[in-house]
Amino acid sequence: MITLGEFIIDKQQDFPEASGELTLLLSAIQLATKVVNREINKAGLADITGSTGVENVQGEVQQKMDLYANDKFKAALEARGEVCGIASEEEDEFISFNTERGCNSKYVVLMDPLDGSSNIDVNVSVGTIFSIYKRKSPIGTPVVLEDFLQPGIEQVAAGYVIYGSSTMLVYSTGNGVHGFTCDPSLGVFYLSHQNMQTPKEGKTYSINEGNYLKFPQGVKKYLKYCQEIDESTQRPYTSRYIGSLVSDFHRNLLTGGIYIYPSTASAPEGKLRLLYECNPIAFLMEQAGGKASDGFQRILEIQPTELHQRIPFFCGSSNMVDTAEAMMEEHQETS
Ligand code: P6P
């Protein structure tokens, strides 16, 4: 039974030049995860469900738990002193930790502190998503926007927490994807899924079919393909859509499948945010042997231009993403 802390330190040996800063950063994330997990598990009892009535920069009404989680992760990262700045779905602008220790740190963190938080009120799983880069601006100075606008391929590490039937923290530093399950009696994360690999083929597709009429033609074509009867390819596939990216992703990662949030007529760039949802999830999926694109190009190679920019998202088993991309390509002119 290896704990998350022991595993991170063991893996640190893989990086001779490692100075332990990333280890301390990941342990700060672990600490905040435990605090948020405790609050989520009693959400119905504490006055912490429901909305604040305030809209975030996305134009979405912030849930009380969104702000709680954002504050806890921000505080843990600033206190640990291994991060020079953060960007968050819940913060309009990036935040620079201008202490001497902060300015001299080499990492920036981007996060969705509580993805799918509207599900909390109905007791459905939610998640935290985080993405870690080395800063590009000089050590010793406050961070700048360019430190955050890096393509996903530059990520040093990425991960998510799923607050589900059990609480798991899943991360990668580019050497495989590893999952840790929390023992609630001890509040300790133990290694439960080492070197997670996703099947090349799956039988599950995850998409909000309520938007069908607004989908691009290539997506409509792919959904028809999923629903056709063809025993040789075990179709029709199964539709599973929780409305919580981390939950749909985690299931598809383990069993095979594809998650699609495409552009729609009303949202031409899709809904999901490139920097702190799609890039970290794409990093993990590729590390597990899957694929992630915007329907045409690899997510991790997209050069970001804005902190909260959105992007269409196709992510999952490589054969399924290939098939969906082929249909997007075939029908691009009719999208
Ligand atoms: P819709 C949650 O708001 C989220 O960002 C993802 O977690 C989830 O997959 C998606 O949006 C759900 O969006 O439009 O289908 O309700």
Side-chain angles (χ1 to χ4, degrees), residues 115-116 208 211 241 243-245 248 259 261 271-273 277:
D115 181 71
N208 183 343
N211 295 321
Y241 190 70
S244 173
L245 169 62
D248 282 313
Y259 172 100
Y261 208 106
K271 176 182 182 182
L272 301 187
R273 276 61 55 148
E277 290 174 329

Side-chain angles (χ1 to χ4, degrees), residues 204-216:
T204 301
Y205 65 97
S206 305
I207 188 170
N208 183 343
E209 294 188 73
N211 295 321
Y212 179 83
L213 293 178
K214 298 185 282 187
F215 285 157

Side-chain angles (χ1 to χ4, degrees), residues 18-90:
S19 56
E21 291 165 279
L22 184 59
T23 299
L24 288 171
L25 198 171
L26 289 169
S27 69
I29 290 174
Q30 178 183 194
L31 173 62
T33 296
K34 291 179 180 179
V35 173
V36 171
N37 182 47
R38 180 187 60 192
E39 214 59 26
I40 284 177
N41 286 339
K42 60 182 182 183
L45 300 174
D47 176 27
I48 202 154
T49 55
S51 77
T52 62
V54 174
E55 280 193 359
N56 62 16
V57 68
Q58 327 288 342
E60 295 169 350
V61 175
Q62 287 180 315
Q63 302 298 308
K64 292 176 186 172
M65 273 305 294
D66 283 326
L67 294 186
Y68 180 86
N70 189 60
D71 291 347
K72 295 308 175 190
F73 279 96
K74 192 164 53 171
L77 290 167
E78 182 167 23
R80 192 53 58 91
E82 301 306 337
V83 173
C84 52
I86 64 166
S88 166
E89 177 179 318
E90 305 307 333

Side-chain angles (χ1 to χ4, degrees), residues 24-294:
L24 288 171
L25 198 171
L26 289 169
S27 69
I29 290 174
Q30 178 183 194
L31 173 62
T33 296
K34 291 179 180 179
V35 173
V36 171
N37 182 47
R38 180 187 60 192
E39 214 59 26
I40 284 177
N41 286 339
K42 60 182 182 183
L45 300 174
D47 176 27
I48 202 154
T49 55
S51 77
T52 62
V54 174
E55 280 193 359
N56 62 16
V57 68
Q58 327 288 342
E60 295 169 350
V61 175
Q62 287 180 315
Q63 302 298 308
K64 292 176 186 172
M65 273 305 294
D66 283 326
L67 294 186
Y68 180 86
N70 189 60
D71 291 347
K72 295 308 175 190
F73 279 96
K74 192 164 53 171
L77 290 167
E78 182 167 23
R80 192 53 58 91
E82 301 306 337
V83 173
C84 52
I86 64 166
S88 166
E89 177 179 318
E90 305 307 333
E91 302 283 351
D92 295 2
E93 307 297 335
F94 67 84
I95 294 172
S96 180
F97 295 149
N98 288 338
T99 58
E100 185 185 351
R101 186 135 184 230
C103 283
N104 283 294
S105 303
K106 62 184 174 187
Y107 294 115
V108 295
V109 173
L110 299 95
M111 65 182 177
D112 183 354
L114 206 57
D115 181 71
S117 54
S118 54
N119 289 302
I120 287 181
D121 296 6
V122 293
N123 211 355
V124 167
S125 301
V126 292
T128 295
I129 310 170
F130 61 89
S131 172
I132 304 171
Y133 292 83
K134 280 187 180 172
R135 69 184 298 178
K136 297 180 80 71
S137 57
I139 295 270
T141 63
V143 289
V144 294
L145 183 58
E146 284 63 34
D147 288 318
F148 299 94
L149 298 184
Q150 300 187 51
I153 196 120
E154 297 295 331
Q155 289 175 100
V156 171
Y160 62 87
V161 181
I162 178 168
Y163 307 95
S165 46
S166 66
T167 297
M168 279 190 70
L169 189 152
V170 178
Y171 85 96
S172 173
T173 56
N175 280 281
V177 181
H178 310 292
F180 300 80
T181 301
C182 184
D183 177 337
S185 65
L186 297 172
V188 176
F189 282 93
Y190 288 101
L191 180 64
S192 53
H193 299 67
Q194 185 164 3
N195 200 22
M196 300 166 81
Q197 288 292 299
T198 197
K200 293 210 174 301
E201 189 61 71
K203 305 289 176 277
T204 301
Y205 65 97
S206 305
I207 188 170
N208 183 343
E209 294 188 73
N211 295 321
Y212 179 83
L213 293 178
K214 298 185 282 187
F215 285 157
Q217 198 56 36
V219 171
K220 292 179 179 177
K221 178 86 173 173
Y222 183 68
L223 291 179
K224 183 173 182 295
Y225 169 82
C226 292
Q227 295 155 4
E228 285 169 347
I229 298 173
D230 178 320
E231 287 184 14
S232 68
T233 55
Q234 296 179 287
R235 286 182 287 148
Y237 294 154
T238 294
S239 173
R240 285 284 184 277
Y241 190 70
I242 299 171
S244 173
L245 169 62
V246 169
S247 306
D248 282 313
F249 174 78
H250 186 72
R251 180 203 54 245
N252 292 349
L253 177 66
L254 290 170
T255 63
I258 186 170
Y259 172 100
I260 302 175
Y261 208 106
S263 62
T264 62
S266 52
E269 294 307 314
K271 176 182 182 182
L272 301 187
R273 276 61 55 148
L274 172 60
L275 286 179
Y276 40 79
E277 290 174 329
C278 299
N279 269 338
I281 292 294
F283 181 81
L284 292 163
M285 182 48 83
E286 289 198 3
Q287 280 289 313
K291 290 188 76 171
S293 80
D294 65 356

